[in-house]
Amino acid sequence: MKNSVVRTLTFVSLATLPIAGASEAQTSPDTGTTVIHAGRMFDSERGVFLTSHDIIIKNKRVESVGEDLPIPPGAREIDLRACTVLPGLIDSHTHLLYLEDIVKGSFSEGTKAVINEGTPLRALHGAARARTFLSAGITTVRDLGNAGRFGDIALRNAINDGSVDGPRMFVSGPGLSPEGGQFPGLQERYKAIAEEEYRVVRGPEDAALAVRENVTYGANLIKIYSNNTPNRGYLSLSEMRAILEEANMYGMRVAAHATNNAAVWRAVQAGVSSIEHCYQVDDTTLALMRERGVALVPTDVDSITVVRLLKRDPSEKKPTSEQIPLILRGNRDRLMRAVKAGVTIVAGSDNYIQTGVPQGEGAKHNLFAYAEAGMEPLQILRAATWNGAELLGMKNRLGVIKAGAYADIIAVEGNPDSDIHALENVRFVMKDGTVYVGRQ
Ligand SMILES: [Zn+2]
């Protein structure tokens, strides 16, 4: 149902876009130029808001940005003077081909995805979820595994060739994991099931081979599990170093799932670019991350998401709403310690659990979690734009509205700099110069 809603929105929005001179556009040749008039605009590079700026877009890229720019002849004009315009958001930790439902008991959901769903159907389900991200204003995702046998690469390619509407995807292929992947309770005899979902690494040579496999089949980056929670294994330091050496040779970055201090410390020593989750970490390790320029992707949930999850949780012994601040206290504390330590924060939702709202909308609540912890709206907006682009190696091309950048632009009603929840009111989405949502 939600997908038909998204499709309807996309259709309606294109039909109702306020395009000046639309009737002339039918008779005059399409110059491929668009001008957006922005009431307010987020400059993610400097971390400030500007007023009354024009953005000229030509051939999928931003050509120029400034005040009162002359309108090129034949340009299509889009009036967003009543809105706040931002670069398309970047979610740096997604799993578009994976969804758990707490109602069904999350521990068996992973094996079910492999055995009962299968990669082709997962890719199709992922395509439906991808639309919800784009409609929510998330125009780029870094998708980190749990996509079966390279289903993430199939979906990325389908989006890139225009068959499927979705965000730009930067994908890892199967994550490189210690024994057993992340399937708890799997009997040894059936370990091959985990190896359908993860690339289980056995020794440094095998670790390097795993990188080569993922490179060969089309990955943009490498995902590793320094520890494979909820299982107990760790990759060895020599395995991680072999992975980094091989990945560096291809100019690929490595993202590390690491949930406790030892796992974080070891992954940073090996040379990864980002630490995902990082639930338990001490200040010495945070200082090392700062020193080495390793980004933190805090995959935190906000209190609204916890309430939604608790509503769906069928267990009798679930926490009460009064206990929610206690549940979230640890994450909030480590996020603010990381901010204080000067660690670069990159927004990533890890929103793979069904909360009853479209996945893309649910993913934005990750940003509200940062606000609840005490991050300032401007810091959060940078984490979801500029910092995300930098982590992807796409600085100045994504996550920013400036000359030369890809035309990934969104507009919201309200002022996200004073209330981050304004990001819920997305009124316009452009990716690569194409308008996908344009209601007003
Ligand atoms: Zn994840």
Side-chain angles (χ1 to χ4, degrees):
M1 190 187 81
K2 64 187 184 208
N3 301 325
S4 65
V5 168
V6 169
R7 272 196 295 276
T8 307
L9 280 183
T10 308
F11 177 74
V12 169
S13 55
L14 284 171
T16 57
L17 244 188
I19 300 173
S23 53
E24 298 93 291
Q26 287 166 2
T27 49
S28 57
D30 181 6
T31 61
T33 305
T34 300
V35 180
I36 292 176
H37 302 289
R40 303 175 76 243
M41 191 193 94
F42 180 51
D43 177 342
S44 61
E45 186 171 12
R46 290 189 291 153
V48 295
F49 274 86
L50 309 167
T51 51
S52 300
H53 269 58
D54 295 328
I55 305 159
I56 298 182
I57 295 144
K58 181 141 197 187
N59 300 331
K60 304 180 177 187
R61 299 246 189 180
V62 175
E63 193 171 72
S64 53
V65 182
E67 288 175 87
D68 297 320
L69 295 179
I71 311 295
R76 155 179 86 151
E77 290 182 64
I78 298 175
D79 184 358
L80 296 172
R81 290 184 183 92
C83 292
T84 301
V85 172
L86 305 107
L89 302 175
I90 300 173
D91 186 339
S92 293
H93 190 127
T94 63
H95 301 285
L96 292 187
L97 279 73
Y98 185 71
L99 188 66
E100 284 181 1
D101 195 338
I102 204 163
V103 175
K104 295 172 184 165
S106 56
F107 274 1
S108 59
E109 292 280 271
T111 44
K112 256 172 56 190
V114 172
I115 298 169
N116 301 121
E117 197 179 359
T119 304
L121 182 55
R122 290 173 72 177
L124 291 166
H125 287 157
R129 285 177 210 125
R131 286 173 192 268
T132 71
F133 278 73
L134 192 57
S135 299
I138 298 167
T139 53
T140 297
V141 300
R142 194 176 63 137
D143 203 72
L144 299 177
N146 295 107
R149 307 295 293 171
F150 298 99
D152 49 352
I153 285 156
L155 179 56
R156 178 203 61 194
N157 293 352
I159 290 172
N160 285 350
D161 71 22
S163 317
V164 171
D165 290 347
R168 294 173 191 280
M169 289 181 76
F170 291 80
V171 304
S172 67
L176 278 48
S177 164
E179 197 63 40
Q182 287 184 294
F183 291 169
L186 194 63
Q187 298 298 298
E188 190 274 342
R189 180 172 182 171
Y190 301 107
K191 64 185 177 187
I193 292 171
E195 290 166 31
E196 287 292 308
E197 186 79 348
Y198 300 88
R199 175 56 169 86
V200 171
V201 159
R202 299 185 174 104
E205 247 181 71
D206 188 42
L209 174 61
V211 173
R212 283 200 290 285
E213 286 172 7
N214 282 7
V215 169
T216 301
Y217 300 117
N220 302 106
L221 69 144
I222 301 296
K223 162 86 178 284
I224 66 169
Y225 296 81
S226 179
N227 64 334
N228 61 347
T229 35
N231 276 328
R232 292 190 59 204
Y234 286 78
L235 286 176
S236 72
L237 247 184
S238 57
E239 285 167 339
M240 286 194 280
R241 287 197 167 123
I243 289 166
L244 261 297
E245 192 184 331
E246 191 76 12
N248 287 340
M249 201 176 74
Y250 297 103
M252 309 222 342
R253 302 196 178 186
V254 178
H257 166 110
T259 55
N260 64 39
N261 193 54
V264 175
W265 179 268
R266 291 153 61 89
V268 173
Q269 291 293 348
V272 302
S273 296
S274 68
I275 297 290
E276 315 295 311
H277 318 302
C278 198
Y279 296 128
Q280 290 104 37
V281 66
D282 65 28
D283 289 340
T284 319
T285 307
L286 288 171
L288 184 72
M289 286 174 68
R290 158 92 174 93
E291 191 188 309
R292 303 265 173 100
V294 179
L296 168 61
V297 183
T299 53
D300 298 352
V301 293
D302 71 337
S303 44
I304 293 171
T305 302
V306 177
V307 169
R308 284 174 177 162
L309 288 172
L310 289 177
K311 258 191 205 157
R312 297 177 73 83
D313 187 348
S315 65
E316 282 170 17
K317 281 189 178 171
K318 60 186 177 188
T320 62
S321 53
E322 293 77 50
Q323 289 168 312
I324 292 174
L326 277 176
I327 299 170
L328 299 176
R329 193 170 59 185
N331 285 356
R332 291 173 177 175
D333 167 69
R334 80 88 170 70
L335 177 57
M336 294 319 289
R337 282 191 293 120
V339 169
K340 205 172 149 205
V343 175
T344 300
I345 307 296
V346 177
S349 69
D350 202 17
N351 183 37
Y352 63 84
I353 298 183
Q354 179 61 269
T355 58
V357 299
Q359 288 310 115
E361 281 303 321
K364 281 189 295 192
H365 280 261
N366 165 247
L367 307 178
F368 309 153
Y370 299 163
E372 286 180 355
M375 274 177 78
E376 295 299 327
L378 281 176
Q379 292 177 312
I380 297 169
L381 293 172
R382 274 200 117 214
T385 54
W386 183 263
N387 294 354
E390 203 164 32
L391 182 58
L392 287 168
M394 295 297 285
K395 188 174 163 178
N396 294 321
R397 285 177 283 172
L398 294 177
V400 68
I401 302 172
K402 70 188 284 191
Y406 290 108
D408 290 6
I409 295 168
I410 66 168
V412 302
E413 218 171 78
N415 298 337
D417 45 332
S418 53
D419 178 10
I420 196 73
H421 284 265
L423 294 178
E424 290 187 276
N425 311 319
V426 170
R427 295 291 176 259
F428 175 84
V429 177
M430 171 184 272
K431 192 196 85 177
D432 228 12
T434 298
V435 177
Y436 290 89
V437 175
R439 290 177 296 157
Q440 279 207 333

